[in-house]
Every structure is written in structure tokens, then in C-alpha cells.
Amino acid sequence: MQACATPPPALEMLKTKLRAEHIHMVFQRDGKTTPVLEDINLQVGDGEFLCLLGPSGCGKSTLLNIMAGFLSPSSGEIRVDADIVRGPDPRRIFVFQERGVFPWLTVEGNIAFGLFKLSRSQREQRVSHYVKMVGLEGFEKNYPAELSGGMKQRLEVARALAVNPDMLFLDEPFGALDSITRLIMRTELLRIWEAERKTIIFVTHDIDEAVQLADRVVVMSSRPATIQQIVKIDIPHPRDISSPRYLELRDGILEQIGLAHKV
Amino acid sequence: MKSLAEPRKWEGLFWPILASALLLALWHYCVRWTATTIFPSPLDVGRGIAELLREGVLWTDIADSLRRVAVGFGAAAALGIPLGLMLGWSPAADRVVNPAMQILRPISPIAWIPVAIIFFGIGDYAAIFLIFLGAFFPIVVACVDGVSNVPSMYRRAGRNFGLAPWRLLAQVIFPAALPRIIIGLRIALGIAWLVVVAAEMIAVDSGLGYLVIDSRNSGKRYDLVVAAMLLIGVIGLTLDFGFRRIEKIKSVRWGFRHGP
Amino acid sequence: MQLSVRLRPVIFIAGLLIVWQIAADRQSVHLLPGPWGVAGGIADLLRHGLLLKYVTASLFRVTWGFILAVVLAVPLGLAIGWYRRAEMAFNPILQVLRPISPLAWIPIAILWFGVGDLAAIFLIFLGCFLPLLLTAIQAVQSVPDIYVNIGRNFGLRPFELICRVLFPAVIPQLIVGLRITLGIAWLVVVAAEMIAVNSGLGFLIVDARNAGNRYDLVLAGMVMIGTIGLLLDMGIRSLEHIKSSRWSYSED
């Protein structure tokens, strides 16, 4: 974990950016109803890095999609800055796994995708800024097919950041990467986050990932998902993954989920 | 690809019925407005179908067309699948034979009619030969495609377990290639159905294709022409559906995870 | 590749030609010519200027029928593919029309257009329209949902979504569909010309046989048909290569 510039403000002092109120979600398919989310209530602070943690298929991706406005909840509402979320918006960009990158555009083309409202020179400036930020210099004219998984993921993050959103939603973005690349990407993500301090909501099933990255970890149960526990990670960055406090927090979550220590 | 909310179940019936009804109505009124005496309205066609059914000629025609397709397609499969498997198995052999096939393939089976008539005379066998030609190449191509797309790790696993080549082919390669082969067979069957109708319009005097052209030639019975066309469409569709059922059989279904 | 390997297909074809020549010579009644006879037939056609005339006629019809079909089928197919309900509405009709050979439309074509170019173009149009439409519909439906969602996320309005996301995403499949449909067009034109018009390569085949059993010309026509069909196919494949080497995401 790399060094950070300044310590973040205490969480209690952050104003609320996103509020989830009594979110219920029920899926209907061929006459069968599947409850997925049950009474989710959550407040996310401005500039906070929040993790949604839970086993695969528990509904955390569904919750993320609801927050981003791609799905409508069966009941309840999401408010961002006190406005109800009714659909996707450029101020809240969703980052998929690297398959969200457009294969017919170059690296530059992808990053510039959302910048159609800017003038040509402004666009070029932004693009080169973010190419540098995610470390893809030299690959501006390459197509995604020529990039590795990690590079494509970085490209997608660059594209998301280029439009200067308030919030980023990341749905297991590093899931398709090998574990070494994953470690590198986590560091990169934190570096970028510390530079621009967006509100980030990050979905993962990897406990270590959650504890390494987040300010708070929302532990979710399996379907129908509820919030089991919210764990505040009060270790400042860079986090030592061998420190007692880290292990204590991680083990706490492991216990909460019901997993034993030994393999 | 959704642009609006998920459509409800009843809409699966509502929209097609609405669209079909509107198109039929449009057809009907076009016939009325142009006051044509020749082109049939939907009602005329319906009556035409009833007439054909009553006269019993229809059944022989349908049987004839189906019979020719069965024989021609069967022959194409019997010869094409082994050839395709061999060519797929040995890319070297494929490279030798492929150019010859590429030159023959764009020649419409219909263009072979004069040659077919020399060999078989006018009649069933000529039509069957044309159907064979139409179905043969797609089947071979599908088999080559299927075999060459079998992941090489399957071959390696087979050899690892000590399988002899022919066993490897029969117990590993063939089942692995089967989904694509079946899709190829289905497409070839569709082609066979197109060819039989065309062949019957030129080279024989029975069958649905012949019915189409005969209805016009002997009396400008366009109601029967269109009736025959509709039957051709429906039967062809039924054949296609039947084949898709085969694709649903479990031992093959794994290959269609992502849908045909 | 070494020269010897490259020559093998040539040798194979040469072998087939030799077998053909022998078989032709051994006929009791010399009806079908061997390869030499066919070559002579081609030369004959060239001398009389008929070859060029017929090839042009066939290509002309293919071009018009094909382009008309593309211009109408692609936008329509994209629209139907985009709107679920439209696809639900039209699919049954399309599925019933699909197995009907374009040639079965000949009586109607002659009724509406008489014997001649327009009827042939109409038949080619019919033969191309439906496959292209279905290809376009399928292409739209296979565009991953997330691409569209990403577009919406970045604030694109529906029209911009279609231009900047949908269209680039379907191009590889469309091009494959165009290639296959062009092949179909070529098959249909030949058949159509055998029945409904008085020029073109298909007509050549029928006419050569009817007016004097000139089977050398019949086979010459078939050879020309095969060759031109192959050239058309290779032409579009090179187009595919340009696109795919740039985007490297076709053939999915």
C-alpha cells in the first residue's frame, strides 16, 4: 500500500452523499418471485470509500445497480444529495469489469467517450491527463484487444474518471485479474482515490480486498440479503496487512460471516 | 438488448397477432383498392388452401417434396459428414481439397440442371441430385468447422488416456463437434428445402414447387400460387423447429449454452 | 509455406480435371465435354463478346438487388432488434417467410414486373432482404447490455446511443451477414435468369442447352458462375480483414 498525501477527514464529519432508504428488491421470472434485498438502509459519506462485501450471488451487485440507477427497487428509494435517483447519470459512473471497454475505440477514444460536451483541446487535455494517471502512456492509439486484462481495467477507470463524476461504483472490477495484478490494481485505485477523493462504492467478495481498501465495510448476508454488520476500518493508509489491527478487523469479519480461521 | 421495460407474458402473443392481423388487413385492402382480378386476397388464399386440401393432390405434392428432401439431404449427410470429419481432422487434407470446393460452392444447384438432366433425365433423381448438391457443401463446411473448433486440450486428454485415433475421433472429437455439426445440418436442411422448391419448378412435375408454377401456367390461379407459397413457408418452418428440438436433447444441449 | 505444399491443391484440381477429361472421352454418346471443350466454349463466348455481356448483366442485377436489400433491411433490422416488442410482433411472419425460396416468388414477380430485369432484381432483393434483416436483428440482440448501459451512464440520448454504441458494435456481424447474403444473391440471380429473363449467365446455361445442346457452353457458363461467385466472396472477405485487423473483435 503506497503513501497517501493527507489523512482523510474523520468520517463523522463527512456529509452524506448517498442515502439508501428501505430498499427492497424482488425479482420476478417466469412466475417465480425471488426476494433479493430486504430492507437495506445505508448512508454513504461524501468522499468515502465504502465496500459492499458478501458471498457471490447475495445481491450486492443488484444493490449497486440500484444505487447507480440501472435498476428500480421494488420499494424504497436512493437519494443522492437529497435528490431521488431515477436513472443513470454521468455524475455517478459505474465501472464494470474490463469487458465494459468499447472494442472499436482506441484507448484515447474510450477515455474521450463521455467528453463530447468539451472542446477539442479540452478533450485532448483531459485524455492525456487520465492516460498518465492510470499509467497507460504509450498505449493511446492501441485497441483494447491489444491490452491485458489489468490495462483494460485501468482504461475503464480512466474513462470513468475523465467525466469528473461525483461517485464511482465498482462491481468486482478486479475479479477477472490474477492475484498479483489485483494487488497492484488495489494500490493504483487507492492512489487515484486519494488524488481525486470521489465517493467510491466497491463491491467484492474478497474479505482482504475489502479490509485493505475501504473506510467502512458493509457485510451482507446471503439471499435475501440484509446488512449484517458495518465495520469501520480505522487504519490509516498505507495499511500494513500484517499489523495486528488489520488482522483483528479481518478476523472479525471472517467470524461474522461464519468462516473458520484454519484451512 | 432491451430498450424499454421487460415485456409482459401476454405481450408475447399480443404483438405478433396484432402485427399479423394488420398486415393481412393491409394486404386485403390493397387488393380491394387496386381492384385487381388476378392477385388474390387473404380470403382467396384461404379458400385456395381448402380447395387444395379437398382435392387430395396437395398431400401427394407435399409427400413428394418431403421425400426428395429426405433422400437428397440424407445422401448429403451420409457423404458429407465423413468427408467433413476427415478434412477437419487433417488440416493438410483440408488445404488440398478446400480450393476445389470453394470454386464449386458458388454455383447454384439450379445451374446444374442441364447436367443433372443428362445424368438422370427429367424426374425425381434429377431433383434429388440438386438437393444433394445444395446440402452437401454446407454440411462439409460445418463438419470441418466443428472439428477444427474442438479445443486441442480434448485431443490431448484423449491421447493422455491412451485412446487409439479412431476411438479418439468417435468418442471425443465427434461428440465435441456435434453441436456445430447439428447447426450445420439444420442450415443445410433449410437450404435443401429451398432447392427442392426451385428444382420442382424446373425439372419435375410434382411437388410443392411444381404446384406453384403449375397453378400459374394452367389458369393463372394466383390464389393457389400464394396458397402453395404459404404452405412451403409453414412446412419449411416446421422442419426447422423439428430440428431445433434435436438440439434440445440433453447430451447435445451443452453446446448451445449461448443459444443458436 | 513451401512451394510443394502450395501446389498440392492445384495438383488436386488438376487431377480432378484429368479424371473428368477421361470420363468425358469415354462417353458412348459425346454429350458432355471435357475440360478442353469447356475452355473452347469460354473462348467462343469471348470471341462473340457474349461473355462480357452476360457477366455484366448478371452483375448488374446482383448489384441492384443487393444494394436495395441492404438499404432497406439493415436500418429496419436494427430498429426491430432494438425494440423488443417489434421483434415479438414481426418474428412469426419472418419465420414463415424465410423458408420460401425466392424462386417460388417467380409467378408473382412476373405478374408485377413482367419478364425482364426488374423481375430478376426483385427476386434477388427478396433473396437478400430476409437474411439481412434477420442478421441485423440478431446482431442488435447480441450487443452486450452493458455497452448500452455504459452509454446511458455517460448521458447519451437514444439517438446518440444508436450512432455511437449500437452501430459500431454490430458492424462485424453485419459484414459477415453481407458476405453470406451476397453469396445468396449470386445463387438467386443465376436461378432467376434461368427462368425469368433473357440475358445473363443463368440464361446462357438454359439457352445453350435449348438451342442446340451446346453443353460446352453450359459448362463454360457454370465455370464462370463459380469463378465470379468466388471472386465476389474473396472481395468481401478482404473487407472483413481490414475491419477485423483494426478492431480485432469480429469472429466472436
Side-chain angles (χ1 to χ4, degrees):
Chain A
M1 300 287 145
Q2 293 301 315
C4 68
T6 45
L11 275 176
E12 297 74 37
M13 284 168 41
L14 294 174
K15 67 177 182 35
T16 305
K17 182 71 178 172
L18 181 144
R19 196 189 299 263
E21 288 169 353
H22 299 295
I23 299 289
H24 290 260
M25 188 65 181
V26 172
F27 277 141
Q28 306 251 21
R29 174 85 55 103
D30 300 335
K32 276 194 300 203
T33 14
T34 328
V36 177
L37 295 170
E38 219 167 271
D39 202 24
I40 305 286
N41 290 285
L42 192 59
Q43 285 184 16
V44 184
D46 195 2
E48 183 183 357
F49 197 127
L50 184 89
C51 246
L52 298 176
L53 175 71
S56 282
C58 74
K60 46 194 199 298
S61 292
T62 309
L63 179 58
L64 200 69
N65 274 286
I66 292 175
M67 287 178 174
F70 288 112
L71 285 174
S72 289
S74 308
S75 71
E77 56 194 25
I78 306 279
R79 285 179 187 272
V80 172
D81 291 331
D83 296 319
I84 300 182
V85 167
R86 292 188 201 285
D89 191 284
R91 288 167 301 176
R92 302 182 287 273
I93 299 285
F94 201 105
V95 175
F96 302 81
Q97 294 185 19
E98 6 90 64
R99 60 203 160 86
V101 161
F102 292 134
W104 59 86
L105 293 175
T106 57
V107 166
E108 279 179 332
N110 265 285
I111 299 179
F113 183 74
L115 302 177
F116 43 92
K117 295 207 175 87
L118 300 180
S119 73
R120 174 118 179 236
S121 56
Q122 280 176 318
R123 246 202 315 260
E124 282 171 14
Q125 251 185 340
R126 283 263 186 114
V127 168
S128 64
H129 172 79
Y130 284 103
V131 165
K132 275 202 210 67
M133 177 181 277
V134 297
L136 283 173
E137 286 141 291
F139 291 97
E140 289 88 339
K141 307 263 185 240
N142 287 68
Y143 285 94
E146 298 160 326
L147 303 177
S148 70
M151 292 163 83
K152 279 190 273 194
Q153 192 63 68
R154 283 190 239 183
L155 174 58
E156 204 172 332
V157 172
R159 183 179 65 187
L161 291 173
V163 294
N164 209 9
D166 300 335
M167 296 186 70
L168 279 181
F169 299 93
L170 294 110
D171 190 357
E172 301 197 42
F174 308 142
L177 306 175
D178 64 82
S179 56
I180 294 175
T181 314
R182 244 182 277 160
L183 287 174
I184 299 173
M185 293 298 295
R186 285 179 209 157
T187 315
E188 294 288 289
L189 183 60
L190 282 173
R191 178 175 61 82
I192 294 170
W193 174 62
E194 268 151 22
E196 302 216 341
R197 280 281 167 208
K198 317 264 181 218
T199 311
I200 294 187
I201 304 186
F202 188 104
V203 159
T204 181
H205 58 256
D206 186 331
I207 299 172
D208 278 285
E209 191 163 69
V211 181
Q212 282 163 20
L213 293 174
D215 291 329
R216 282 191 300 157
V217 176
V218 176
V219 182
M220 299 178 69
S221 65
S222 11
R223 264 191 210 183
T226 52
I227 296 183
Q228 254 182 293
Q229 190 197 22
I230 300 185
V231 180
K232 192 163 132 195
I233 314 286
D234 48 17
I235 315 173
H237 294 291
R239 291 179 183 165
D240 181 355
I241 61 177
S242 324
S243 73
R245 181 66 183 142
Y246 174 91
L247 293 169
E248 189 185 331
L249 286 166
R250 192 196 66 180
D251 292 345
I253 297 178
L254 275 168
E255 243 184 272
Q256 177 69 29
I257 299 184
L259 297 171
H261 286 208
K262 307 192 193 300
V263 173
Chain B
M1 258 315 300
K2 300 180 252 283
S3 65
L4 300 167
E6 188 94 20
R8 254 72 61 84
K9 265 195 144 177
W10 59 270
E11 299 194 56
L13 277 175
F14 172 71
W15 290 111
I17 293 182
L18 179 67
S20 310
L22 283 175
L23 278 169
L24 281 175
L26 184 66
W27 173 8
H28 185 87
Y29 281 111
C30 281
V31 169
R32 283 273 170 278
W33 285 329
T34 54
T36 170
T37 44
I38 299 190
F39 200 82
S41 74
L43 284 169
D44 296 328
V45 173
R47 272 182 240 130
I49 295 183
E51 181 185 326
L52 287 171
L53 285 170
R54 248 180 299 127
E55 282 181 22
V57 185
L58 184 63
W59 299 111
T60 7
D61 282 330
I62 295 180
D64 282 341
S65 296
L66 285 173
R67 182 173 39 86
R68 290 169 187 139
V69 165
V71 177
F73 179 76
L79 284 173
I81 293 182
L83 179 65
L85 290 178
M86 273 196 320
L87 293 181
W89 175 265
S90 158
D94 184 46
R95 273 192 294 265
V96 171
V97 176
N98 200 18
M101 288 208 315
Q102 294 299 348
I103 297 183
L104 289 175
R105 201 152 62 111
I107 306 179
S108 167
I110 312 301
W112 287 81
I113 285 185
V115 175
I117 293 185
I118 290 193
F119 284 148
F120 302 102
I122 292 197
D124 251 9
Y125 289 111
I128 292 175
F129 175 63
L130 295 178
I131 295 165
F132 168 83
L133 281 175
F136 183 72
F137 291 115
I139 291 180
V140 172
V141 168
C143 290
V144 171
D145 195 44
V147 171
S148 54
N149 272 297
V150 173
S152 57
M153 62 177 166
Y154 289 12
R155 280 202 210 195
R156 276 188 236 153
R159 280 172 33 209
N160 204 181
F161 281 92
L163 263 61
W166 70 267
R167 237 180 222 258
L168 190 64
L169 186 65
Q171 290 184 348
V172 176
I173 305 284
F174 184 67
L178 202 51
R180 286 200 189 217
I181 295 179
I182 291 194
I183 292 183
L185 285 175
R186 173 162 59 80
I187 294 177
L189 184 61
I191 296 178
W193 189 245
L194 292 174
V195 172
V196 77
V197 165
E200 287 170 347
M201 292 177 77
I202 308 178
V204 278
D205 48 14
S206 73
L208 285 169
Y210 176 73
L211 183 59
V212 169
I213 206 123
D214 188 53
S215 305
R216 174 191 173 266
N217 289 344
S218 51
K220 305 248 184 209
R221 289 294 305 275
Y222 279 93
D223 54 337
L224 295 182
V225 166
V226 179
M229 285 169 71
L230 273 175
L231 284 166
I232 291 173
V234 169
I235 296 179
L237 187 59
T238 313
L239 289 174
D240 192 69
F241 266 7
F243 225 90
R244 284 185 198 256
R245 279 251 163 237
I246 298 181
E247 289 172 18
K248 288 219 173 17
I249 299 176
K250 273 207 170 175
S251 58
V252 187
R253 196 143 52 111
W254 64 269
F256 298 109
R257 252 185 334 252
H258 304 294
Chain C
M1 259 197 289
Q2 310 148 290
L3 191 60
S4 58
V5 179
R6 282 192 151 191
L7 277 178
R8 279 193 213 148
V10 181
I11 298 176
F12 179 69
I13 295 180
L16 286 176
L17 289 174
I18 293 176
V19 169
W20 175 9
Q21 182 70 59
I22 296 177
D25 286 339
R26 295 181 60 196
Q27 287 177 93
S28 45
V29 186
H30 275 243
L31 215 48
L32 273 182
W36 261 155
V38 176
I42 296 182
D44 215 6
L45 289 169
L46 273 169
R47 244 180 297 131
H48 286 124
L50 282 174
L51 190 63
L52 196 60
K53 180 166 156 223
Y54 284 157
V55 169
T56 318
S58 297
L59 283 175
F60 172 78
R61 292 169 187 136
V62 164
T63 311
W64 273 109
F66 183 69
I67 291 183
L68 262 172
V70 170
V71 162
L72 283 174
V74 170
L76 192 61
L78 294 181
I80 295 182
W82 177 261
Y83 291 107
R84 267 277 213 94
R85 291 176 170 87
E87 198 246 339
M88 289 162 74
F90 292 114
N91 197 36
I93 304 171
L94 295 175
Q95 294 302 332
V96 169
L97 289 177
R98 191 163 58 106
I100 306 179
S101 167
L103 299 183
W105 288 80
I106 284 184
I108 295 185
I110 296 185
L111 179 67
W112 286 347
F113 301 104
V115 173
D117 262 353
L118 277 174
I121 293 177
F122 175 65
L123 291 173
I124 295 164
F125 168 79
L126 278 176
C128 297
F129 181 78
L130 224 46
L132 269 178
L133 189 71
L134 293 170
T135 302
I137 294 176
Q138 227 259 320
V140 170
Q141 291 176 331
S142 67
V143 173
D145 276 354
I146 58 173
Y147 288 171
V148 176
N149 282 337
I150 291 173
R152 285 168 62 206
N153 204 180
F154 280 92
L156 264 58
R157 278 156 314 188
F159 181 66
E160 291 168 321
L161 262 179
I162 294 177
C163 294
R164 296 185 60 194
V165 175
L166 188 68
F167 195 68
V170 296
I171 283 189
Q173 271 184 277
L174 275 185
I175 292 190
V176 173
L178 285 174
R179 174 166 60 80
I180 296 177
T181 309
L182 186 61
I184 296 177
W186 191 242
L187 293 175
V188 173
V189 78
V190 166
E193 287 169 348
M194 292 176 74
I195 307 178
V197 279
N198 300 326
S199 67
L201 287 169
F203 173 73
L204 167 65
I205 292 182
V206 170
D207 190 51
R209 174 182 169 270
N210 288 346
N213 279 348
R214 289 289 307 271
Y215 281 96
D216 56 336
L217 295 181
V218 168
L219 289 174
M222 287 168 72
V223 168
M224 290 310 305
I225 290 171
T227 314
I228 295 182
L230 182 62
L231 288 173
L232 287 174
D233 192 70
M234 279 164 50
I236 288 214
R237 269 187 206 268
S238 63
L239 191 72
E240 267 178 54
H241 274 152
I242 298 175
K243 292 278 180 189
S244 99
S245 67
R246 270 198 73 200
W247 295 341
S248 310
Y249 70 111
S250 50
E251 261 88 280
D252 233 65

